[in-house]
Amino acid sequence: MIKWRDWARLVREFVAQNNTSQIKHVIQILSQEFALSQHPHSRKGGLIGLAACSIALGKDSGLYLKELIEPVLTCFNDADSRLRYYACEALYNIVKVARGSVLPHFNVLFDGLSKLAADPDPNVKSGSELLDRLLKDIVTESNQFDLVGFIPLLRERIYSNNQYARQFNISWILVLESVPDINLLDYLPEILDGLFQILGDNSKEIRKMCEVALGEFLKEIKKNPSSVKFAEMANILVIHCQAADDLIQLTAMCWMREFIQLAGRVMLPYSSGILTAVLPCLSYDDRKKNIKEVANVCNQSLMKLVIPEDDEMDEAKQLMTLPAEPTSEESLSKPEAASSGSLDASGDSNLSNNSILTMTSSERIQVTLNLDGIVQVLDCHLHDTSIGMMTRIAVLKWLYHLYIKTPRKMFRHTDSLFPILLRTLSDESDEVILKDLEVLAEIASSPAGQTEGHGPSDGSEVRPGPVELHVPSRTGQLSSSGPKGLECSPSTPTMNSYFYKFMINLLKRFSSERKLLETRGAFIIRQLCLLLNAENIFHSMADILLREEDLKFASTMVHTLNTILLTSSELFQLRNQLKDLKTPESRNLFCCLYRSWCHNPVTTVSLCFLTQNYKHAYDLIQKFGDLEVTVDFLTEVDKLVQLIECPIFTYLRLQLLDVKNNPYLIKALYGLLMLLPQSSAFQLLSHRLQCVPNPELLQAGDSTKPSTSFKRTSAPSIDYTELLQHFEKVQNKHLEARHQRAGRAEQLDRRVVL
């Protein structure tokens, strides 16, 4: 039998003779008859012989590497752990001799090593680690590494769930990343998804290694943003920004933040997916404070990318230089990623002038902002009642921002957004309501809303939902689908075609949800008066309430509006406008308010006090004797007396000093006093009237001739007789409605008894 040292001597002789055929014959015998034999001892001998041949060949071993390596790699799968160890040892000797010549065979070596890295035998694993370090040294020294050929194998192996295989893969990524001549960043989209999956490994050591690798990649991205394929990795980040693992989510969110800031408007086509991932994070508690903070930066940065130029028509697209983007399937290395919640680019984008990127591709791609996907995501989040307050606020900020920057395009979506915006007014958070009102106010006041007939963005027909949005005719009646056949007064001031819709539907909301009116009604209306024109709001609401069929609601709503008018600091200017009725506009507003205020007798008197129509107030109080005096009625009189003592009516109290010129004011106050029972309000008003000087001068008010020195004559354009008749007519309706309600209640009681 030939000894193994004899095989080596024989090979050296053949090398000296340059007899390649005999060398191949020797290697073939060692491979086929020994290394691949059925007998373990023969396989062991074959492996030692192949290693000896490699040593004997020296620098010429590179010519026979394929024949030397293949049988050794086959033994990596041997069931005997000792043979696997000998195979590892043999390959170590072969690689050590060949050095850089093994690089053309790197993929098969890597594949074999990746299997040994997960070997259960510690000796085999130890031997594979020695071989792994040797191979890494060779790759680091060489400038001939075939990265293009290696990436597909790495992309496949990186999805291994074995911890040792994961550790092996990460170690190689770190090595390749450290080699200056190897630009692994170009192929990052191929392995990024796998890296994020490894980041969720149970082993702290592996997670740390993966975190370091991702950190190094991110540093490289910041240094060379012009060579980064941002678009190919956007969907991958969107998926992992929604991961359940905190470390994965935080890392992906940090990457997303850098991508948005570095790539700029290149990320806009992925806005819908980004928002899907980012918005829920804004409501995280302090346990996920870091994720919340980074998500907030992502949200703010993305919002800044939307500019007024995005509102241009589609045919006026801006040109940008952008490398062709792969499909979403190419972006992700594993099919499972498609079901992870990623949203493909739903629109186009253009690069802002201040973008950091300098594109190198010569391909010109026309892109614009497509709002459909963004609005769909925002709408879904508003409909989701489980989302947190900060997320709802962020959604509303986005809608407001889009209506400011791209109003024409946004009004295509207004009919679909309007109902949920109205429902959001019932939110339990004041901050959410404030932001919601800002959006609704912008819709109601934007010049873009003047153009009617905004259809859906896809051209399909929009059917009215539970809340109709038909524009009321300025000369006729509302559509039959409108609320109770209301007429739209030609005198009602409007801001755009959606303003009156908003007022109608807001009152419908208050009517159907009385708790909202009681708890938030005043708050909502006061804020609207700050955001919109207060006169327009009161004018339009009064006009709508004038035709309200639910008289009880009309009375309640008028009382609410009157309280706001008399007490809110936001309405100081409107009160001053009504105080003197010097202009036709103020007189028109007074008449409009008066007709609706007639739904509530006490509020009508208070409006006359505010506008200094004291004689008419006195005439109204005279009519109170014909009304049904209820506890609610007396309570409202009590509240009016309290209001008279407030700073709002300081001017009225001072006018009590001029008895001669204000007799009807004093008579009206005495009339209220006579209506009141003996109560604290009675005592309060009685004490006030006792302070009036020279009570005997009250007789001056009995004169049939009007005083020439009266403080302010009645406005000549106001028909007070007609107003008084209107008051009586409205009160008769209320009396009839109360009788009908009482009759229905009595019938119900009888049925219960029966």
Side-chain angles (χ1 to χ4, degrees):
M1 178 183 290
I2 302 177
K3 295 183 179 180
W4 306 121
R5 62 176 62 91
D6 294 334
W7 287 109
R9 180 178 53 79
L10 188 61
V11 169
R12 288 192 190 97
E13 291 177 359
F14 290 150
V15 170
Q17 299 170 6
N18 198 22
N19 192 341
T20 57
S21 62
Q22 287 298 326
I23 295 173
K24 289 183 178 180
H25 182 65
V26 171
I27 295 174
Q28 184 179 9
I29 292 174
L30 289 171
S31 299
Q32 300 298 326
E33 297 184 15
F34 290 94
L36 301 179
S37 171
Q38 297 295 323
H39 302 287
H41 292 291
S42 297
R43 293 199 297 274
K44 175 184 174 182
L47 291 171
I48 296 174
L50 289 171
C53 285
S54 175
I55 295 172
L57 286 168
K59 62 180 182 179
D60 292 332
S61 63
L63 301 173
Y64 310 96
L65 280 176
K66 186 176 186 297
E67 292 82 0
L68 290 169
I69 290 175
E70 285 184 354
V72 177
L73 289 176
T74 302
C75 292
F76 276 9
N77 298 318
D78 199 289
D80 190 340
S81 62
R82 290 176 298 175
L83 280 172
R84 294 199 302 273
Y85 175 78
Y86 287 129
C88 188
E89 187 178 46
L91 188 58
Y92 178 87
N93 289 316
I94 294 171
V95 172
K96 185 176 181 180
V97 172
R99 302 295 292 184
S101 299
V102 301
L103 289 180
H105 306 277
F106 178 81
N107 278 13
V108 292
L109 295 175
F110 181 88
D111 184 53
L113 277 174
S114 66
K115 296 174 182 176
L116 290 184
D119 197 286
D121 188 271
N123 292 324
V124 176
K125 193 179 300 180
S126 177
S128 70
E129 289 173 357
L130 289 174
L131 176 58
D132 180 54
R133 284 197 292 269
L134 174 61
L135 200 56
K136 286 174 180 174
D137 290 339
I138 295 172
V139 170
T140 305
E141 296 168 358
S142 174
N143 57 1
Q144 298 177 354
F145 182 72
D146 182 14
L147 185 60
V148 176
F150 171 62
I151 288 298
L153 178 61
L154 179 60
R155 180 179 57 195
E156 176 188 347
R157 289 285 181 245
I158 204 170
Y159 285 102
S160 172
N161 291 323
N162 184 279
Q163 287 188 348
Y164 297 106
R166 284 181 165 183
Q167 191 171 17
F168 173 79
N169 292 328
I170 290 293
S171 67
W172 268 102
I173 290 173
L174 286 169
V175 168
L176 295 176
E177 199 174 5
S178 65
V179 179
D181 295 333
I182 297 178
N183 187 11
L184 194 57
L185 190 61
D186 286 345
Y187 302 93
L188 182 57
E190 304 286 335
I191 61 174
L192 184 62
D193 180 56
L195 283 173
F196 272 105
Q197 293 199 25
I198 293 176
L199 191 60
D201 195 274
N202 294 327
S203 169
K204 291 183 179 180
E205 183 181 356
I206 295 175
R207 289 164 74 100
K208 185 63 179 178
M209 287 179 63
C210 188
E211 198 173 357
V212 170
L214 287 168
E216 291 299 321
F217 276 122
L218 193 56
K219 289 180 183 178
E220 191 69 21
I221 288 172
K222 292 179 182 179
K223 292 179 182 178
N224 305 290
S226 60
S227 60
V228 178
K229 300 174 182 177
F230 290 103
E232 296 182 27
M233 295 183 280
N235 276 334
I236 298 173
L237 295 183
V238 166
I239 292 171
H240 294 290
C241 281
Q242 303 172 71
D245 185 280
D246 288 353
L247 180 59
I248 295 177
Q249 189 177 29
L250 176 60
T251 306
M253 200 68 72
C254 289
W255 276 61
M256 184 67 76
R257 175 191 62 196
E258 299 300 331
F259 272 37
I260 295 172
Q261 293 177 352
L262 292 172
R265 289 173 59 83
V266 172
M267 300 297 290
L268 272 183
Y270 306 93
S271 296
S272 57
I274 295 171
L275 288 175
T276 300
V278 166
L279 288 174
C281 301
L282 301 179
S283 293
Y284 283 173
D285 55 26
D286 289 342
R287 289 173 295 179
K288 296 185 178 182
K289 183 179 179 181
N290 292 339
I291 299 175
K292 178 180 179 179
E293 291 175 350
V294 179
N296 186 54
V297 175
C298 290
N299 182 56
Q300 296 296 328
S301 300
L302 186 64
M303 189 180 294
K304 292 176 182 177
L305 298 181
V306 181
I307 56 177
E309 286 75 10
D310 290 319
D311 202 30
E312 296 175 359
M313 299 302 291
D314 293 340
E315 58 267 19
K317 295 180 179 179
Q318 300 180 5
L319 289 178
M320 65 169 287
T321 310
L322 183 67
E325 299 177 5
T327 62
S328 58
E329 289 81 2
E330 294 171 345
S331 298
L332 298 177
S333 304
K334 293 286 280 184
E336 294 84 1
S339 62
S340 301
S342 172
L343 295 180
D344 294 337
S346 58
D348 302 325
S349 172
N350 49 10
L351 190 62
S352 58
N353 294 332
N354 60 351
S355 175
I356 300 175
L357 289 179
T358 304
M359 297 300 178
T360 57
S361 173
S362 60
E363 185 175 357
R364 308 288 290 182
I365 301 177
Q366 290 183 336
V367 291
T368 59
L369 175 69
N370 189 332
L371 289 177
D372 291 356
I374 297 177
V375 172
Q376 182 180 4
V377 171
L378 298 176
D379 184 56
C380 288
H381 278 81
L382 274 185
H383 278 87
D384 186 358
T385 56
S386 64
I387 63 172
M389 178 189 72
M390 297 308 298
T391 298
R392 295 196 297 276
I393 291 174
V395 169
L396 294 167
K397 284 183 177 179
W398 259 102
L399 289 173
Y400 181 78
H401 182 73
L402 292 174
Y403 271 109
I404 293 293
K405 297 296 182 182
T406 59
R408 288 192 298 175
K409 287 185 177 180
M410 278 302 295
F411 267 94
R412 301 172 186 171
H413 303 278
T414 299
D415 284 351
S416 61
L417 289 171
F418 205 78
I420 185 59
L421 289 172
L422 283 170
R423 286 200 294 273
T424 305
L425 291 174
S426 301
D427 195 276
E428 60 185 14
S429 167
D430 287 350
E431 294 181 58
V432 173
I433 295 176
L434 281 173
K435 292 300 175 185
D436 189 37
L437 290 172
E438 286 183 13
V439 178
L440 287 166
E442 183 59 30
I443 292 173
S445 60
S446 174
Q450 295 288 4
T451 304
E452 298 179 16
H454 288 291
S457 56
D458 60 357
S460 61
E461 181 182 357
V462 176
R463 297 184 180 277
V467 180
E468 294 80 5
L469 297 175
H470 299 294
V471 182
S473 169
R474 305 310 300 165
T475 56
Q477 293 185 346
L478 287 172
S479 167
S480 59
S481 62
K484 304 175 183 177
L486 299 182
E487 294 180 359
C488 182
S489 169
S491 62
T492 303
T494 58
M495 304 187 77
N496 67 21
S497 57
Y498 280 94
F499 176 80
Y500 204 76
K501 300 174 187 178
F502 179 27
M503 295 297 105
I504 290 174
N505 287 285
L506 179 59
L507 290 176
K508 284 183 63 178
R509 191 78 184 167
F510 286 150
S511 177
S512 61
E513 195 173 342
R514 297 298 174 87
K515 185 177 179 181
L516 175 64
L517 176 60
E518 294 172 5
T519 59
R520 298 289 180 81
F523 172 74
I524 290 172
I525 295 171
R526 287 174 58 187
Q527 294 303 318
L528 282 176
C529 289
L530 290 175
L531 296 167
L532 298 170
N533 183 281
E535 179 181 352
N536 286 355
I537 292 172
F538 272 78
H539 204 306
S540 58
M541 284 191 170
D543 187 55
I544 297 167
L545 289 171
L546 182 62
R547 296 152 183 87
E548 174 62 50
E549 294 180 0
D550 186 347
L551 298 182
K552 188 174 181 180
F553 166 71
S555 177
T556 303
M557 192 68 223
V558 163
H559 176 74
T560 301
L561 290 172
N562 185 68
T563 302
I564 296 170
L565 177 63
L566 294 179
T567 61
S568 299
S569 58
E570 296 86 352
L571 296 176
F572 175 79
Q573 185 176 353
L574 186 60
R575 285 196 296 271
N576 284 343
Q577 182 181 344
L578 286 168
K579 190 179 294 183
D580 295 323
L581 302 180
K582 292 180 179 179
T583 63
E585 292 78 13
S586 63
R587 291 192 289 270
N588 179 43
L589 176 62
F590 166 73
C591 291
C592 180
L593 295 180
Y594 181 94
R595 295 178 187 279
S596 287
W597 262 230
C598 286
H599 282 297
N600 190 306
V602 179
T603 60
T604 313
V605 172
S606 66
L607 179 64
C608 291
F609 282 160
L610 175 65
T611 56
Q612 303 184 67
N613 283 297
Y614 301 134
K615 183 179 186 305
H616 193 70
Y618 171 71
D619 292 338
L620 286 173
I621 293 173
Q622 290 292 96
K623 298 291 183 180
F624 283 7
D626 300 329
L627 302 180
E628 182 181 0
V629 178
T630 63
V631 174
D632 291 339
F633 176 85
L634 293 176
T635 301
E636 292 192 22
V637 175
D638 188 297
K639 291 179 179 179
L640 176 58
V641 171
Q642 303 294 334
L643 273 176
I644 292 173
E645 295 298 319
C646 292
I648 296 296
F649 283 111
T650 299
Y651 67 92
L652 181 147
R653 297 195 300 273
L654 289 174
Q655 288 173 3
L656 291 175
L657 297 174
D658 190 0
V659 177
K660 181 178 180 181
N661 291 324
N662 296 290
Y664 286 105
L665 169 60
I666 299 173
K667 281 193 169 187
L669 293 177
Y670 269 106
L672 291 178
L673 187 66
M674 295 302 106
L675 288 171
L676 286 169
Q678 297 288 332
S679 62
S680 58
F682 178 89
Q683 297 297 330
L684 186 65
L685 184 55
S686 176
H687 288 320
R688 174 64 64 184
L689 290 173
Q690 288 174 14
C691 297
V692 175
N694 300 320
E696 61 273 10
L697 293 179
L698 288 173
Q699 297 176 359
D702 294 333
S703 175
T704 56
K705 296 181 180 181
S707 173
T708 56
S709 59
F710 195 78
K711 177 175 174 30
R712 176 175 62 79
T713 58
S714 300
S717 59
I718 298 177
D719 186 350
Y720 288 96
T721 303
E722 190 273 333
L723 292 180
L724 197 60
Q725 292 173 351
H726 177 78
F727 174 82
E728 293 177 340
K729 180 180 178 181
V730 172
Q731 288 307 308
N732 287 334
K733 287 184 178 179
H734 277 270
L735 181 62
E736 182 180 351
R738 281 195 295 271
H739 289 164
Q740 291 176 353
R741 288 196 298 269
R744 288 194 295 269
E746 185 178 351
Q747 291 177 359
L748 183 61
D749 290 341
R750 289 176 180 174
R751 291 175 184 175
V752 171
V753 172
L754 292 175

